[in-house]
Amino acid sequence: MSRQLSRTDNLIQQFDTILRTLVPHAASASRANPAVGTQDAEMTDAERRHAAGLMRINHTGEVCAQALYQGQGATAKLHETREQMEQAAAEEIDHLAWCDERLCELNDRTSYLNPAFYAASFGMGALAGKLGDNISLGFVAATEEQVGRHLDDHMHKLPVGDRRSRAILEQVRTDEAHHERWALEAGGSRFPAPLKFGMRMMSQVMTRSVYKL
């Protein structure tokens, strides 16, 4: 029989997750990096900097995803929903670690703005959870839909020679599509187009600021 976690245990667990999310190189993937065995073609310095900017955006996106799932999991009303959020968050940790590894390979860094985006995303996730599991799951689905479009755009913008980043993003795209389907099948509400448009505008604030910072 598994031990029931106390409030202190949960706080320690949350703090550990925050550290693994925000401290560079602290996250460990449970799955092999999709880029294993893939070799880059020749890239110029400018192309490498551009690829690093795109992967920095993707890394920050995974930071936001971790915070959203943690916030939602903390306020989800149904135990089953909470467990599903935790499973999705575990897969997002893989994405976080892979993007971090790729930034190191490109001799670049993660964003200085990650703590601010983490805090904002946690708050939005917790609020969505308090509004009810259907809204919370709908928020997951709408977010993952936006992430999918964002990843498609980045795979198009990556330098032709950056095969390793593309291999990572292809696997991330597959996982995010699975999260979107799961959230809808679990009873998530379908958000109206105007709300999705607002979410897309907010995501552009992140992408434009994180590309260089």
Side-chain angles (χ1 to χ4, degrees), residues 6-166:
S6 67
R7 182 178 178 82
T8 300
D9 291 331
N10 284 320
L11 287 173
I12 292 172
Q13 191 175 66
Q14 285 279 358
F15 185 67
D16 177 69
T17 303
I18 292 170
L19 288 178
R20 286 189 292 117
T21 301
L22 293 179
V23 176
H25 323 314
S28 298
S30 60
R31 292 176 290 171
N33 191 314
V36 170
T38 300
Q39 296 295 322
D40 286 332
E42 193 71 26
M43 286 192 288
T44 65
D45 289 342
E47 286 176 327
R48 283 186 175 276
R49 287 194 298 272
H50 178 56
L54 295 177
M55 292 307 288
R56 180 161 41 251
I57 292 170
N58 291 311
H59 180 272
T60 297
E62 298 304 333
V63 168
C64 292
Q66 274 296 306
L68 283 169
Y69 281 123
Q70 289 164 25
Q72 289 169 303
T75 56
K77 295 176 174 58
L78 297 178
H79 179 69
E80 181 179 326
T81 300
R82 188 177 301 111
E83 287 187 337
Q84 289 171 322
M85 294 290 184
E86 291 171 355
Q87 175 60 38
E91 292 183 358
E92 300 290 354
I93 279 286
D94 288 349
H95 305 167
L96 189 76
W98 297 338
C99 290
D100 191 4
E101 290 171 16
R102 185 55 181 156
L103 282 167
C104 288
E105 292 173 357
L106 293 167
N107 297 316
D108 220 300
R109 54 166 177 76
T110 58
S111 174
Y112 297 130
L113 302 176
N114 281 347
F117 282 115
Y118 180 96
S121 298
F122 186 94
M124 286 190 291
L127 176 60
K130 280 188 173 294
L131 293 175
D133 287 349
N134 287 351
I135 297 297
S136 185
L137 289 166
F139 190 67
V140 169
T143 299
E144 298 294 18
E145 179 184 336
Q146 300 298 326
V147 170
R149 292 179 180 176
H150 169 84
L151 290 169
D152 290 341
D153 181 56
H154 276 202
M155 284 189 281
H156 176 73
K157 290 180 177 178
L158 279 172
V160 174
D162 191 357
R163 298 168 181 166
R164 289 179 64 80
S165 294
R166 186 168 285 103

